[in-house]
Amino acid sequence: MFHVEEESSGGDGSEIDEEFGGDDSTTSLSRWVFDEKDDYEVNEDYDDDGYDEHNHAEMDSDEEDDNVEQRLIRTSPAVDSFDVDALEIPGTQKNEIEDTGIGKKLILALQTLGVVFGDIGTSPLYTFTVMFRRSPINDKDDILGALSLVIYTLILIPLVKYVHFVLWANDDGEGGTFALYSLICRHANVSLIPNQLPSDARISGFGLKVPSPELERSLIIKERLEASMALKKLLLILVLAGTAMVIADAVVTPAMSVMSAIGGLKVGVGVIEQDQVVVISISFLVILFSVQKYGTSKLGLVLGPALLLWFFCLAGIGIYNLVKYDSSVFKAFNPAYIYFFFKRNSVNAWYALGGCVLCATGSEAMFADLSYFSVHSVQLTFTLLVLPCLLLGYLGQAAYLSENFSDAGDAFFSSVPSSLFWPVFLISNIAALIASRAMTTATFTCIKQSIALGCFPRLKIIHTSKKFIGQIYIPVLNWSLLVVCLIVVCSTSNIFAIGNAYGIAELGIMMTTTILVTLIMLLIWQTNIIVVSMFAFVSLVVELIFFSSVCASVADGSWIILVFATIMFLIMFVWNYGSKLKYETEVQKKLPMDLLRELGSNLGTIRAPGIGLLYNELAKGVPAIFGHFLTTLPAIHSMVIFVCIKYVPVPTVPQTERFLFRRVCPRSYHLFRCVARYGYRDVRKENHQAFEQILIESLEKFIRKEAQERALESDGDHNDTDSEDDTTLSRVLIAPNGSVYSLGVPLLAEHMDLSNKRPMERRKASIDFGAGPSTVLDVEQSLEKELSFIHKAKESGVVYLLGHGDIRATKDSWFLKKLVINYMYAFLRKNSRRGITNLSVPHSHLMQVGMTYMV
């Protein structure tokens, strides 16, 4: 009995169940890339000590040493082996949202209210309540000091840091911790899973920044990151810790928002007790997580107007209280009141910072939910609507409290006019439900990115929008968050402890983002060092001061969220460690090419008609699992293609740049490698018939291009003279897309020695392995013969050969390694999704062999 498993290179890529999909759009774009000198030389070697008959545009450099000399050159957009006949060069994928008109941007701005700003929009429900619980009001100046703290926290963190800096660090429209990590991985080889290929840098979305005066500094940072394994691990740990805090934030955000909104019943109905508030909050939370599956765009359009009404209520109530009670609270815009607040209250004022930071909760959601909307729609909505309404809301509460000190325990609902209490109560609860979704949707995005980059076990991912492929829903994660959220609500039962946990999670994410954006400024943006220093210093100082306050109250019950975040961190760390160890072991155990040469073209067995697609994680080399197939099965297919599903650190890979092909052995072996590259935002939605069709058509294009190059090279050989001077000339192929390939030896004088060696190597390869015909006619006949062979093999059927590789720690390993590999990683791998299920391959077309590696 066979079952399905697909292993993706670089982290066991995610399985994605697709309901809807979006169309890709491309544009032509030139860029700057690092180029290896050896790319312009003919490579006559085997694939990883194997055979490559001719120079291939994409794959040649993948087999070179990592130490080849590099130089920065300007290139036209990349084109791979599948795109040889294309007249239009694929370019960078546009963010579909960025190219919309005015009307569409207004609709998106309305949707952002229901998805992005719900969290920060409901902060007036609890910010002053928590602050004055920790630092009671003694006189009016205390209110002005607290208000001044809130005003400048809103200005420094959401407005300055996130809107004007962090939002621009998006990865082609993708936001969040792993989007930042992806950007860094793309510009510096810091990934711990060694599956990177030089050809990845030729993907359209992979272009580097144009040289600038700061380029030298950027290259120095890049070299130090790549050379230090300690820095690579430290960077990964930082990213995993930040992601764990994002998941923890998705637990406390619903708990805090819903409980604070339901708590208004204690003001409107005097007989309501806290225990009843908890019970009602639990029922609301169950409803909230149950409707999450209906998607962001659907609920965003429905709930956007509701949250718009909420912001108008905040502004209206604020203006009412300013007019009725005390308009002098505008004096709080003077930051001197912050100094006076700390001078009067000292330690209590420091504790109050843990409540003040709650006014900035949801700042990270603006960035993490960016994949759902555009930078401009988020900036426009926050600057022109959200921030002014928030400021009016806080000013109004301060004006009310200036004459009602005793109502500080529930500042918001106490400040609502009695005639409007119940309508505002209803709207606030709707807003709280909307706010609770903000970090949940952000968490879905972050987890999808982490799965694709090999840092989280594979989960079922459902896409909920036809137009925008970034809008997703993860069922298992959704219900897990609900369970933990209910545990937090039942165990703490008050918003003060939950508020402290909320602050810990938010500040953990903020500090992670600050460090990663600072690194991006230095490495990628190449920003002026003074600007970078000011951003990093101000952000970290402010966040560390807030963090010291919330950590001082961790014993009041907020430790629960730290435990949960630690568990999530361990899951991600163990999965990444196990995936890295598994990949490195498979690289070490790959089959030597000498063995295949000894076996001959029949591979020591019977070659049965048909095509075998052997899925493996290796981006180069022959996997050891292939040897298992040869020894286990009575026959092997007449054509075998090693398929590697590889995720690269870009949001999307254009369909025309998706696949790379290379011969593994001489033509008589009929062995090929196909590397299928996906970005962490890409949707693998094709069924197995469509996938097979694309694969075979692309293989034919590759073979035709190979034959074209052989014909041109052969023709050039006949026209060349035997004089020494001619050995220094280079024959050049100009492809239809404008790319230039060298078919001879370089023109540069320093390569004279290499020029003299190349012809000997070429003749040796031809003698040893039968490199092929020497005339154009023979090349054409050989091409037709091979294409006919492929068609016959396709007619005989395609079978998916799945190698299920496991790892186990050796007996002499440390106890901790045995615990992590044999139990924790094995448990996660057993309960994660299988990666090929979305192709809907019939069981009759599947064949699996298991293999265990001792590490």
Side-chain angles (χ1 to χ4, degrees):
M1 181 175 181
F2 304 118
H3 64 279
V4 183
E5 179 185 31
E6 174 193 45
E7 311 287 346
S8 81
S9 171
D12 303 338
S14 66
E15 181 275 326
I16 302 175
D17 287 349
E18 172 65 11
E19 291 184 353
F20 307 105
D23 296 331
D24 291 334
S25 61
T26 59
T27 183
S28 293
L29 194 68
S30 62
R31 67 204 191 285
W32 291 82
V33 300
F34 283 102
D35 182 73
E36 294 84 7
K37 284 185 178 181
D38 292 354
D39 284 350
Y40 294 91
E41 300 170 5
V42 180
N43 189 337
E44 297 290 346
D45 301 328
Y46 273 86
D47 178 22
D48 258 4
D49 300 329
Y51 186 78
D52 179 22
E53 298 188 33
H54 297 276
N55 180 39
H56 303 317
E58 288 288 343
M59 295 298 290
D60 284 354
S61 62
D62 296 345
E63 312 301 332
E64 303 290 344
D65 289 337
D66 295 332
N67 297 324
V68 295
E69 184 176 349
Q70 293 183 332
R71 63 184 183 275
L72 198 63
I73 64 168
R74 190 175 184 85
T75 71
S76 56
V79 59
D80 66 21
S81 304
F82 279 18
D83 197 34
V84 292
D85 295 328
L87 297 179
E88 294 182 4
I89 300 176
T92 306
Q93 289 229 342
K94 292 181 181 180
N95 186 354
E96 181 180 355
I97 301 172
E98 294 287 355
D99 295 332
T100 55
I102 299 296
K104 187 65 175 178
K105 285 184 178 179
L106 289 176
I107 294 176
L108 287 171
L110 183 62
Q111 284 183 302
T112 59
L113 289 175
V115 178
V116 177
F117 297 113
D119 192 358
I120 197 170
T122 54
S123 60
L125 289 172
Y126 43 75
T127 299
F128 276 149
T129 299
V130 177
M131 285 188 73
F132 293 128
R133 167 69 179 267
R134 299 183 176 189
S135 180
I137 302 174
N138 296 317
D139 55 43
K140 182 180 175 180
D141 285 345
D142 288 338
I143 298 174
L144 292 176
L147 177 60
S148 188
L149 270 174
V150 168
I151 290 173
Y152 284 99
T153 300
L154 284 172
I155 291 174
L156 285 175
I157 296 180
L159 181 61
V160 176
K161 176 186 173 182
Y162 279 89
V163 171
H164 287 92
F165 284 95
V166 175
L167 287 184
W168 293 111
N170 70 86
D171 189 8
D172 192 26
E174 287 285 320
T177 305
F178 267 96
L180 298 175
Y181 184 59
S182 170
L183 270 176
I184 296 170
C185 288
R186 191 153 78 241
H187 289 78
N189 184 14
V190 296
S191 175
L192 294 182
I193 298 179
N195 69 333
Q196 300 81 18
L197 297 175
S199 60
D200 293 340
R202 297 182 177 88
I203 297 174
S204 298
F206 220 101
L208 299 180
K209 195 175 180 69
V210 174
S212 67
E214 289 79 15
L215 178 61
E216 183 177 356
R217 182 193 68 202
S218 174
L219 294 178
I220 292 175
I221 295 173
K222 176 179 182 292
E223 291 173 359
R224 290 182 178 177
L225 281 174
E226 292 179 342
S228 174
M229 182 58 67
L231 289 178
K232 290 181 180 180
K233 292 180 178 179
L234 184 62
L235 181 62
L236 178 65
I237 290 173
L238 176 68
V239 171
L240 296 184
T243 305
M245 287 298 183
V246 170
I247 302 173
D249 202 0
V251 170
V252 292
T253 297
M256 188 69 179
S257 300
V258 172
M259 282 194 67
S260 58
I262 299 297
L265 287 174
K266 293 189 293 183
V267 176
V269 182
V271 296
I272 295 291
E273 299 294 337
Q274 183 62 27
D275 291 342
Q276 294 169 303
V277 170
V278 171
V279 173
I280 298 173
S281 299
I282 289 174
S283 63
F284 270 64
L285 289 171
V286 172
I287 295 173
L288 166 70
F289 283 93
S290 298
V291 301
Q292 190 74 39
K293 62 182 179 181
Y294 293 108
T296 301
S297 59
K298 300 181 183 70
L299 291 179
L301 280 176
V302 174
L303 302 179
L307 204 60
L308 180 63
L309 182 59
W310 164 251
F311 280 111
F312 287 160
C313 284
L314 281 180
I317 295 171
I319 294 172
Y320 171 83
N321 287 327
L322 285 169
V323 173
K324 182 177 180 179
Y325 294 103
D326 187 3
S327 60
S328 65
V329 293
F330 279 100
K331 292 188 296 183
F333 278 94
N334 182 355
Y337 282 96
I338 297 176
Y339 168 76
F340 296 135
F341 179 66
F342 276 91
K343 184 177 181 179
R344 285 190 305 274
N345 297 281
S346 61
V347 176
N348 285 341
W350 177 63
Y351 279 117
L353 289 175
C356 178
V357 74
L358 298 180
C359 74
T361 56
S363 299
E364 184 68 25
M366 287 193 294
F367 181 54
D369 282 328
L370 195 58
S371 61
Y372 296 86
F373 307 102
S374 67
V375 172
H376 293 300
S377 65
V378 174
Q379 290 178 321
L380 180 71
T381 308
F382 182 81
T383 305
L384 300 183
L385 175 64
V386 174
L387 183 60
C389 291
L390 287 175
L391 290 176
L392 286 172
Y394 285 116
L395 286 166
Q397 288 187 48
Y400 173 82
L401 290 175
S402 63
E403 296 186 11
N404 300 274
F405 290 1
S406 60
D407 290 336
D410 202 330
F412 176 78
F413 286 107
S414 298
S415 67
V416 176
S418 57
S419 59
L420 297 177
F421 179 84
W422 290 110
V424 171
F425 174 79
L426 177 62
I427 295 172
S428 68
N429 277 270
I430 295 174
L433 292 176
I434 299 171
S436 301
R437 303 183 67 256
M439 282 310 299
T440 307
T441 54
T443 303
F444 290 161
T445 301
C446 192
I447 292 301
K448 181 179 183 293
Q449 295 169 355
S450 64
I451 290 173
L453 295 177
C455 296
F456 204 91
R458 296 183 295 264
L459 300 174
K460 179 179 180 180
I461 299 175
I462 299 174
H463 291 255
T464 60
S465 174
K466 291 182 179 179
K467 295 182 180 179
F468 307 118
I469 61 175
Q471 300 183 6
I472 59 175
Y473 168 68
I474 305 178
V476 173
L477 184 62
N478 184 68
W479 299 117
S480 299
L481 293 176
L482 172 61
V483 171
V484 180
C485 184
L486 296 180
I487 292 174
V488 170
V489 170
C490 294
S491 60
T492 56
S493 301
N494 66 81
I495 64 171
F496 306 109
I498 297 176
N500 199 67
Y502 202 1
I504 292 174
E506 283 283 340
L507 288 166
I509 304 168
M510 290 177 183
M511 289 187 290
T512 301
T513 299
T514 298
I515 296 172
L516 294 179
V517 171
T518 301
L519 185 56
I520 287 173
M521 285 180 168
L522 294 170
L523 179 65
I524 304 171
W525 293 355
Q526 299 164 19
T527 309
N528 185 281
I529 192 65
I530 298 176
V531 177
V532 176
S533 300
M534 290 181 61
F535 170 82
F537 178 78
V538 174
S539 298
L540 285 177
V541 167
V542 170
E543 288 158 3
L544 285 172
I545 291 174
F546 280 123
F547 193 67
S548 65
S549 174
V550 295
C551 286
S553 304
V554 72
D556 63 1
S558 54
W559 58 269
I560 296 177
I561 209 63
L562 286 177
V563 172
F564 175 69
T566 302
I567 293 173
M568 299 310 299
F569 173 83
L570 288 176
I571 289 175
M572 291 184 287
F573 184 82
V574 168
W575 182 262
N576 182 266
Y577 174 73
S579 299
K580 172 180 174 291
L581 205 58
K582 181 175 179 291
Y583 185 85
E584 291 176 342
T585 304
E586 290 186 342
V587 170
Q588 295 171 2
K589 302 293 184 181
K590 63 184 180 182
L591 295 181
M593 295 306 300
D594 290 340
L595 176 61
L596 294 183
R597 288 198 292 268
E598 292 174 2
L599 292 175
S601 60
N602 287 331
L603 299 175
T605 184
I606 301 173
R607 302 295 293 269
I611 298 177
L613 302 181
L614 196 156
Y615 280 77
N616 68 103
E617 295 187 11
L618 292 184
K620 49 187 178 181
V622 178
I625 201 73
F626 183 57
H628 245 17
F629 277 107
L630 293 177
T631 56
T632 304
L633 302 179
I636 199 68
H637 300 83
S638 57
M639 176 177 290
V640 177
I641 302 175
F642 301 110
V643 181
C644 170
I645 306 296
K646 172 179 163 57
Y647 283 87
V648 292
V650 295
T652 59
V653 177
Q655 186 67 32
T656 51
E657 301 180 23
R658 177 81 67 208
F659 302 101
L660 300 176
F661 262 112
R662 184 182 176 90
R663 285 191 190 273
V664 177
C665 286
R667 284 191 301 277
S668 59
Y669 282 65
H670 301 294
L671 294 180
F672 298 90
R673 171 179 328 288
C674 173
V675 179
R677 303 178 296 184
Y678 290 84
Y680 57 77
R681 192 182 179 187
D682 280 329
V683 177
R684 294 171 51 204
K685 58 190 176 185
E686 64 273 351
N687 57 36
H688 75 99
Q689 293 97 340
F691 181 81
E692 293 167 11
Q693 185 67 24
I694 295 173
L695 194 70
I696 298 304
E697 290 177 357
S698 301
L699 176 58
E700 291 177 0
K701 286 185 179 181
F702 167 78
I703 293 174
R704 290 181 187 277
K705 178 201 170 185
E706 181 188 58
Q708 180 188 27
E709 292 181 353
R710 284 205 316 273
L712 290 173
E713 186 176 0
S714 177
D715 183 64
D717 285 335
H718 285 292
N719 292 330
D720 283 343
T721 64
D722 294 330
S723 66
E724 289 185 4
D725 290 341
D726 288 337
T727 62
T728 63
L729 298 178
S730 175
R731 295 184 300 278
V732 175
L733 167 66
I734 301 179
N737 53 40
S739 299
V740 179
Y741 305 115
S742 172
L743 298 179
V745 294
L747 293 172
L748 300 181
E750 59 262 32
H751 288 169
M752 284 294 296
D753 293 338
L754 182 62
S755 302
N756 295 329
K757 295 179 181 179
R758 271 298 176 188
M760 293 300 297
E761 293 176 0
R762 291 164 56 88
R763 285 195 293 273
K764 183 177 183 299
S766 179
I767 293 171
D768 290 348
F769 306 114
S774 59
T775 68
V776 175
L777 180 61
D778 289 341
V779 170
E780 293 178 353
Q781 292 175 349
S782 175
L783 171 63
E784 295 303 323
K785 182 178 178 181
E786 187 161 18
L787 291 178
S788 176
F789 182 87
I790 293 175
H791 293 157
K792 291 180 180 179
K794 176 67 168 61
E795 293 173 358
S796 299
V798 178
V799 176
Y800 291 75
L801 308 174
L802 307 176
H804 180 70
D806 286 323
I807 57 174
R808 300 279 296 178
T810 57
K811 292 183 178 180
D812 57 347
S813 299
W814 291 90
F815 170 77
L816 185 59
K817 183 177 181 179
K818 290 181 180 179
L819 177 65
V820 170
I821 298 299
N822 296 350
Y823 298 97
M824 298 173 68
Y825 179 71
F827 174 81
L828 294 175
R829 190 169 173 82
K830 180 180 179 180
N831 290 278
S832 64
R833 297 281 295 182
R834 302 302 185 186
I836 200 176
T837 314
N838 62 308
L839 290 178
S840 304
V841 180
H843 283 277
S844 59
H845 292 190
L846 294 177
M847 193 174 297
Q848 177 171 334
V849 169
M851 191 171 186
T852 300
Y853 302 104
M854 303 303 295
V855 296

